[in-house]
Amino acid sequence: MARVRTVRSLGVVGLVLAAAVTAGCSGSSSGPPAASHASSGSGSTSTTPAGAGAAPAPTESNPPGDIPDNQAYVVFRPAGGAFTVKVPEGWARTGQGGATVFTDKLNRVEIATASASSAPTVTSVGSEVVSRLRGQVPKFDGPKVSQVNRHAGSAVLLKYQGDSAADPVTGKVVRDAFERYAFYRQGHEVDLTLSGPVNADNVDPWRIVTDSFSWK
């Protein structure tokens, strides 16, 4: 009889252990879902591990619009040869309404000539030229007029901002910074307008161009 009781006791212990294991398995299956399937507030499902994010954009050595420090320059002399001025070598040259324009990517140099009975002044540029540009330059803003000196002598400088024309392929519009230098001698006025993106650092190239201007 003792042997029978022992067998029965072992059987009961086995049943208890089996029940405990089964309960543990069923309990783990009813736990919260894995974090990778957690729903966001918008109802979408996120599978991004915690702490992971998009890779940062690479840093550009030259922001868009910067003219390289090793840019070469060539002398431009208009028909009649009244003056010369250096312009960046390799830029595309076009004629627009009596002006000569040199362009490369987002930068532009425009050279315009006109007959004038008197030299431009800070006052005349601040009233007449600014008024005209407001109707020509999209989102014209922030005009500042001053008298500056360059190698050719005194010039009237007008700084302002405006939107570029939309790119014919992408439709992108760039916010540009403009510098317009008005030189004058003996009834002749030459206007150099330099422009590029507002964040571009083109102080040195624009100085090279404007300091190179010379009457002949």
Side-chain angles (χ1 to χ4, degrees), residues 74-174:
V74 294
V75 175
F76 166 73
R77 184 191 297 269
F83 65 89
T84 61
V85 62
K86 289 183 179 179
V87 296
E89 183 178 29
W91 286 23
R93 174 180 171 178
T94 58
Q96 296 182 7
T100 302
V101 179
F102 297 87
T103 56
D104 180 70
K105 300 180 179 67
L106 301 177
N107 294 300
R108 189 172 187 268
V109 175
E110 177 180 322
I111 306 168
T113 61
S115 297
S117 58
S118 60
T121 64
V122 170
T123 300
S124 65
V125 171
S127 58
E128 300 168 12
V129 178
V130 168
S131 178
R132 183 173 72 249
L133 291 176
R134 284 190 188 279
Q136 297 175 344
V137 179
K139 297 184 180 180
F140 178 91
D141 189 41
K144 296 180 180 180
V145 188
S146 62
Q147 195 90 20
V148 296
N149 289 316
R150 290 296 185 264
H151 287 169
S154 179
V156 179
L157 169 60
L158 168 60
K159 291 185 176 182
Y160 59 95
Q161 292 186 6
D163 282 357
S164 69
D167 185 280
V169 177
T170 65
K172 183 178 181 180
V173 174
V174 177

Side-chain angles (χ1 to χ4, degrees), residues 23-32:
C25 293
S26 62
S28 63
S29 64
S30 61

Side-chain angles (χ1 to χ4, degrees), residues 6-77:
T6 301
V7 171
R8 288 179 177 176
S9 297
L10 292 174
V12 171
V13 172
L15 291 174
V16 172
L17 291 174
V21 172
T22 302
C25 293
S26 62
S28 63
S29 64
S30 61
S36 62
H37 295 288
S39 296
S40 66
S42 61
S44 61
T45 300
S46 171
T47 58
T48 303
T59 301
E60 299 183 15
S61 58
N62 287 323
D66 274 14
I67 299 173
D69 292 338
N70 61 352
Q71 173 66 56
Y73 297 82
V74 294
V75 175
F76 166 73
R77 184 191 297 269

